Amino acid sequence: MVLRYDSPHLNIAEVACLYAGFLGLGTLKAIKQQRRGSETLSRTSRFGKEPLKIVSWWILGVALTYVIDIANLVIYALRTPNWWPHKSSVVCLVLSLLFWGIVLISCTDTSELPRYADSFFSAYRVNVLYAWLTEAVFESVFLALTPIPGDTFQGILMADHLARLLLCLFAFAIYVTYRRKRPSRDPMDYEERRMFESSNQLDPEFAQEQSSQSLPNAKKNGSKKPKINTSWIAYFKSFTILFPYLWPVKNFRLQFHVFVCVALLVVGRIANILAPRQLGVVTEKLSQNDNGVPWLEVFLFVFYRFLQGNMGLIGSLRSFLWIPVSQYAYRALSTKALQHVLNLSYDFHLNKRGGEVLAALTKGSSVNTFVEQLLFQIGPVLTDLGVAIIYFFIKFDVYFSLIVLVMTLCYCYVTVKITSWRTEARRRMVNSWRDSYGVQNDAIMNYETVKNFDADDFENHRFGDAVDAYLRQEKTVLSSLSFLNIIQGGIFTTSLCVACLLSAYKVSYGYNTVGDFVVLLTYMMQLQQPLNFFGTLYRSLQNSIIDAERLLEIFQEQPTVVEKCDATPLKVTEGRVVFSDVSFAYDPRKPVLSNINFVAEPGKAIALVGESGGGKSTIMRILLRFFDVNNGSITIDGQDVRDVTLSSLRSSIGVVPQDSILFNDTVMYNIKYAKPDASNEEVYEAAKAAQIHDRILEFPDGYNSRVGERGLKLSGGEKQRMAVARAILKNPTIILLDEATSALDTNTERHIQASLNRLAAGRTAIVIAHRLSTITNADLILCISNGKIVETGTHEDLLKHENGVYKKMWLQQANKDPSSKKFSVE
Ligand SMILES: Nc1ncnc2c1ncn2[C@@H]1O[C@H](COP(=O)(O)OP(=O)(O)OP(=O)(O)O)[C@@H](O)[C@H]1O
Ligand SMILES: N[C@@H](CCC(=O)N[C@@H](CS)C(=O)NCC(=O)O)C(=O)O
């Protein structure tokens, strides 16, 4: 009796314990990590670099004992007539070798893993120690039950068991001792010490270290930076905020489409079994040669073939039905993303570069693509492989399943590795292409300079070098593609060869029929075609994940100014604006406004003047609640701006900014933007009041003239009067004016001033004035310096202060601009 090869139960128990424990620990770790919501677990439960090297050698040793075991078995089986080990024992031996292979890879392959694979496939100490311990326990049982060796074969087997037991026991013992002996100040030891502390709580010392690390970052960003967790559970969970936009919640017809598509996927898998199976049936019928022509069988086979593949009936139907689902998701996601971004606070828009946000938003379809690739491409390929493993087990033999399993793992691993490396090479190739393009572009754009310096040859050489660099990278990319294809082909062909030989052997000895051989061969070959694009699929899946992550980051960004749940619409009765003791800072380290107190009485004009950077625009921003004040309050007719809805607040206030930016559309569209349901007559009235009507009529297409990108086709004065017209059309009780800084010609200025006066009439107006000449009539002037109100009063009052800030500014401006002399106070 040869225990190892004749005791299926023990063998199965061993393999089951190894795999279940390893995967179970992976899941547990992921859950734990997700609860902590941080990366601490992965940082503290991995091996250090040096121990990892030793551990890897040890694992290699264990794996080698299995190689010896398998070789011993093969030799013995070949030499012993009428003896064959139990099937499950062979399978378990191969699976054990595979297991240690996986553990070894997890130790040696320390490259960054995608987050979703991290918990399972990284060398976590717990996993490796668990594997050693489990192996040691089972080996002890094997040894205890194995009789004294009677021949060389049993001797080798016994020695193998013993070697494995000692390797695992020693490894475990040495690791634990080594860990204890390390001085506690060593950072590595600190990490390792934490490994066995299974408590769920975060070490306070460590937590502090963590928070102190993140503090400057938080300060720098101003707003809460979203964080994508590294645990795969947390990682996928973070994507769930996007799912409501992917799933057609209220549209039952689309839900039905999704349901049918998934059903078609299942039918597709079945068709993939039916087609080779049917070919087997046809072969059987034909080889029997006594039932006439198997018309029906052949017809069925052709029909199944017609159903198969992405271009077959099922695939095409599925693609067709998926169109509206995909379009729905695209619309829902991209409109929601834009809405979300528009809803974000002012500081987000100030901090983020517009291009970046736009780039992330245009990748709105990436989440779609990701789901589609997973559902319709990678998913089916992996399912087909899984189905093959089960089908072969039921229909033929567990050995065939084993072949497909080992092939799948090797194929996927090697493909992912080579593809990741190729992706890097590709990036280099694209960069060098961009470089060469840049050189070319430079030369053409600077044609004159090139000619002046007679630098044709120089430019030609420069371009030639850049092209050479690009070609070198391209060569790497192309040749690595051939390399990948050869390796993939090699792995697939080897498994096909082993499977075919085994099947041929079985057919020859009458265990299987010729039909079975055909089924096996056809099914295996069928798998090859989609597997051929596995690398490409993996690469595009990676890309769409990265794009989706960017989109997710935007979705996770929260506005810093939020409406209260019980916010009520602002009721403007008179338009009295009161600032009480307001202090504000964009960054806590640099106060911008301190203790601002003033009342803008209904129907009166109040002017803010003062040095640049003093905080005038900030006063407007906090009144519009783009930011919340740090201290004090701002009320409009007795209602705090923080208690009212944002839209009612902003719709009650009209703003004429310093530099009005218009939409690239017609004049009419731009003025109507303030009140889309306004009639044309109302627009004309507003334009007349803003003193721009006549000018608009002089344009070639009148109100239908286009204003150009950002209103570039209009002059500064025209743009500002358009903005005034808009504000008049909006008809708010309160208006905020930020005057243009640039000096305009006297005529234009008079027009603008007149239009502004019309706008301000009867409303509460808060005006930021850069040229004091424009606000001499204001009811109240506030001089702002360094975030404080330093002087208040009317123009006449303020000029009476001999050394006053206002008077100084007045005199300065009067000297600079003789035209303003006309405003001097006689
Ligand atoms: N988003 C921001 N983040 C941080 N600091 C800001 C921000 N916006 C403005 N500041 C700072 O706040 C201070 C006040 O700026 P504000 O724009 O209110 O001044 P201002 O008086 O309107 O100046 P100007 O007359 O030149 O428009 C300045 O020192 C400015 O650098
Ligand atoms: N067998 C390889 C290559 C498949 C292939 O030929 N892909 C096509 C695109 S569908 C290609 O042109 N690839 C170029 C490349 O990978 O550089 C894989 O699994 O990725």
Side-chain angles (χ1 to χ4, degrees), residues 422 426 477 481 484-485 488 531-536 539:
R422 291 192 66 232
R426 238 170 200 288
V477 170
L481 178 63
L484 173 65
N485 284 338
Q488 285 177 324
L531 274 179
N532 254 337
F533 294 97
F534 194 74
T536 308
R539 196 176 61 222

Side-chain angles (χ1 to χ4, degrees), residues 19-84:
Y19 277 92
F22 201 80
L23 296 181
L25 282 173
T27 316
L28 274 181
K29 277 196 310 275
I31 294 172
K32 241 178 173 181
Q33 201 174 344
Q34 191 230 341
R35 287 220 186 109
R36 288 181 181 184
S38 71
E39 294 170 34
T40 50
L41 190 78
S42 54
R43 280 182 51 186
T44 53
S45 61
R46 282 189 192 160
F47 288 99
K49 226 180 193 171
E50 280 308 309
L52 194 63
K53 270 190 200 155
I54 306 169
V55 166
S56 306
W57 283 108
W58 230 285
I59 292 171
L60 183 67
V62 179
L64 279 180
T65 60
Y66 274 106
V67 175
I68 296 173
D69 231 353
I70 292 171
N72 191 31
L73 169 77
V74 172
I75 296 168
Y76 185 74
L78 290 179
R79 287 171 54 177
T80 318
N82 300 326
W83 182 85
W84 195 251

